[in-house]
Amino acid sequence: MKLLITASIFFYERDGKGLSQTELRQLALDLRKQDEEYQHLHSQVVQAIADRYYNALEEFLNKQSRFPKEKREDNYNSLVYPQAWMKKRGKLYPNGWKLTDKNKKFKILHLSHLGDFKIRIHRQFPVDKVKQIIVKLTKSGKVFVIFIVENYEFPKLKKTGKKVAIDVGIYRLLTTSDGYYVENPRRLEKKLERLKWLSQSLSRKEKGSNNFEKMRVKIAKTYESRVNFRHDLYYKLGKFFAESYDSLAMEDIKVKQLVSRSARVLRLHLHDVGFYEMREIFKWQMEKYGKEFKVVNPAYTSRTCPKCGFVKENMPLSERVFVCPKCGYVGDRDHVGALNILSRAEWDAPLAPVELTPLPLSRQGLAMKQEPHSLGGMHSVV
Ligand SMILES: [Zn+2]
């Protein structure tokens, strides 16, 4: 199944059309010879899977315009089950899908046209509130199933009486007004390096050859795992902020504005940071749990003295320390930014110097450890 999807997408990209049903059947039979997963299947079953997949794809391509208009991300092909429920004799039944428990982490999703998938549930959700199901087929052949849930209220989190502002940057992923920071996870950097290396080797392979295709899948996998890692990190940080603070402020700025002002090398890093995405995720997490999210005017936040308000003429990105020529205030550049964002949100900014402390993230940068040193009352985020 997985392999069929990969192959078909690959051919679709190459020729501008998918495989024909016959080609797909032949491919399914070839795969059966190569792949253990298919060995035990009867050849007719393999062909039936190929047919089923072909029909679903055909349907998808033909009726695309009938599906709800979605933002088209170029890394995915999607199948949409737009009506999750149907009414039969006054009762609601799942329409074309069924979810069965396997164990706590895994469920079996039966999708009409496509077959059964063992799926891993990343976030718990109320099954009866599912409005739409989207199946995403990634370039590397992975399948993501997204359940769109409507009219669901998340449990509100306890008030903490704390407000915070966050400055995001290129050198550090983020710095908070109360002196915490998160480095750019090394894992993202490493993946970026690997991507560069893989792309170079891809350019040396003959287009359409076996090695080219293998390399292409490798690149897609690395890219996807980088995006997933980033998303996971942002969601976890967002939840951490929602648990630890009542209000969060960030700059209202688009990635593009920042990009156009920075050097080429920095641009690469910035894209890696996925700043805009991070802000949207933080906003979602804060509001979802009943907390406040605010955006403020981004002008001169890193050039303004948080103590006397003096605006420096120039503050190149390489200058990491802010020194106020008027009142002598000295502070870390990003922390100064966070303090200015905090006061622009009209929240009190503490001016006592702080020692910047890394937010306690585990080695993988995902699971946060319990209890950072001075914030007290924070919860672990898993
Ligand atoms: Zn000053």
Side-chain angles (χ1 to χ4, degrees):
M1 196 62 204
K2 220 161 127 184
L3 287 168
L4 288 180
I5 289 165
T6 316
S8 183
I9 288 176
F10 172 64
F11 285 108
Y12 188 80
E13 279 166 356
R14 203 188 58 181
D15 310 329
K17 63 176 168 63
L19 291 172
S20 74
Q21 195 154 7
T22 326
E23 282 172 313
L24 210 53
R25 278 174 160 221
Q26 189 51 52
L27 185 71
L29 290 174
D30 290 346
L31 285 173
R32 186 169 161 263
K33 281 181 206 140
Q34 289 168 20
D35 196 288
E36 267 180 32
E37 203 185 322
Y38 295 91
Q39 296 284 322
H40 66 280
L41 292 174
H42 192 271
S43 68
Q44 279 174 358
V45 177
V46 176
Q47 285 189 26
I49 295 176
D51 287 354
R52 202 158 45 174
Y53 174 65
Y54 177 78
N55 289 335
L57 185 71
E58 186 84 326
E59 210 172 298
F60 169 62
L61 294 173
N62 289 340
K63 295 181 189 166
Q64 227 178 164
S65 54
R66 265 185 42 193
F67 288 122
K69 270 245 155 81
E70 252 205 302
K71 203 172 73 185
R72 248 201 100 100
E73 293 154 285
D74 42 4
N75 291 302
Y76 298 107
N77 278 353
S78 318
L79 295 165
V80 183
Y81 288 71
Q83 289 292 328
W85 302 88
M86 61 179 172
K87 232 177 185 170
K88 238 195 244 164
R89 287 179 229 107
K91 268 182 98 180
L92 284 175
Y93 292 92
N95 187 9
W97 61 285
K98 209 174 123 198
L99 213 49
T100 323
D101 281 327
K102 187 170 168 68
N103 52 41
K104 225 176 171 186
K105 246 182 184 163
F106 291 100
K107 287 182 191 296
I108 303 289
L109 176 69
H110 316 268
L111 286 173
S112 61
H113 305 304
L114 277 181
D116 294 354
F117 296 89
K118 186 166 130 192
I119 59 170
R120 196 196 170 105
I121 305 285
H122 291 278
R123 282 170 207 104
Q124 293 303 325
F125 62 92
V127 174
D128 57 328
K129 294 274 193 326
V130 171
K131 282 274 140 36
Q132 208 180 80
I133 298 167
I134 300 173
V135 185
K136 294 203 158 183
L137 320 168
T138 72
K139 278 187 179 173
S140 71
K142 266 195 207 145
V143 178
F144 282 94
V145 181
I146 295 156
F147 297 90
I148 310 278
V149 176
E150 272 177 13
N151 300 325
Y152 178 68
E153 286 279 313
F154 285 88
K156 302 291 174 247
L157 287 171
K158 266 194 300 207
K159 296 277 177 223
T160 62
K162 288 182 187 142
K163 294 170 190 283
V164 74
I166 290 175
D167 187 49
V168 295
I170 290 150
Y171 291 94
R172 272 181 227 129
L173 185 68
L174 60 87
T175 310
T176 73
S177 51
D178 50 2
Y180 285 91
Y181 67 87
V182 178
E183 294 284 3
N184 260 316
R186 202 169 290 154
R187 226 168 106 177
L188 289 177
E189 303 281 326
K190 272 196 185 145
K191 291 234 195 286
L192 196 68
E193 275 164 35
R194 187 170 153 78
L195 274 175
K196 273 189 226 153
W197 182 82
L198 286 170
S199 319
Q200 279 165 11
S201 10
L202 182 72
S203 64
R204 287 192 294 267
K205 303 268 180 289
E206 196 190 325
K207 221 177 166 182
S209 69
N210 269 348
N211 284 334
F212 181 89
E213 171 59 0
K214 266 188 216 152
M215 202 52 100
R216 189 200 62 80
V217 172
K218 251 188 212 163
I219 289 177
K221 271 191 182 152
T222 311
Y223 178 79
E224 282 161 17
S225 74
R226 185 167 140 256
V227 169
N228 293 339
F229 175 81
R230 214 171 61 194
H231 272 175
D232 257 17
L233 179 66
Y234 293 170
Y235 271 101
K236 278 171 177 150
L237 283 169
K239 186 164 184 208
F240 173 80
F241 289 126
E243 281 177 334
S244 314
Y245 303 94
D246 294 342
S247 309
L248 188 157
M250 286 176 92
E251 285 176 303
D252 186 8
I253 190 174
K254 296 260 150 59
V255 171
K256 267 183 192 156
Q257 288 175 287
L258 258 173
V259 170
S260 60
R261 273 196 251 134
S262 39
R264 204 187 149 267
V265 187
L266 297 178
R267 201 180 306 160
L268 248 173
H269 283 269
L270 193 64
H271 278 302
D272 199 41
V273 168
F275 164 56
Y276 184 73
E277 210 177 352
M278 175 161 74
R279 205 194 72 187
E280 289 303 297
I281 292 174
F282 286 2
K283 180 175 189 278
W284 158 249
Q285 291 289 64
M286 290 300 284
E287 290 173 353
K288 178 172 101 178
Y289 291 112
K291 301 294 183 87
E292 183 188 12
F293 182 88
K294 208 168 178 178
V295 285
V296 304
N297 181 358
Y300 316 127
T301 45
S302 56
R303 286 199 268 147
T304 306
C305 174
K307 197 173 172 191
C308 72
F310 179 82
V311 181
K312 281 180 101 169
E313 194 114 315
N314 208 342
M315 182 87 186
L317 277 166
S318 55
E319 243 173 270
R320 304 304 306 148
V321 179
F322 178 96
V323 183
C324 179
K326 205 176 155 197
C327 75
Y329 179 91
V330 179
D332 172 87
R333 177 205 179 93
D334 296 336
H335 186 236
V336 161
L339 288 177
N340 284 321
I341 295 168
L342 193 74
S343 58
R344 275 187 203 177
E346 291 169 4
W347 300 335
D348 291 335
L351 289 171
V354 293
E355 199 183 322
L356 292 184
T357 318
L359 253 195
L361 297 163
S362 76
R363 206 157 21 102
Q364 291 82 20
L366 283 179
M368 273 180 230
K369 284 186 228 145
Q370 206 103 25
E371 200 54 33
H373 75 128
S374 70
L375 259 181
M378 282 194 185
H379 309 287
S380 67
V381 181
V382 181

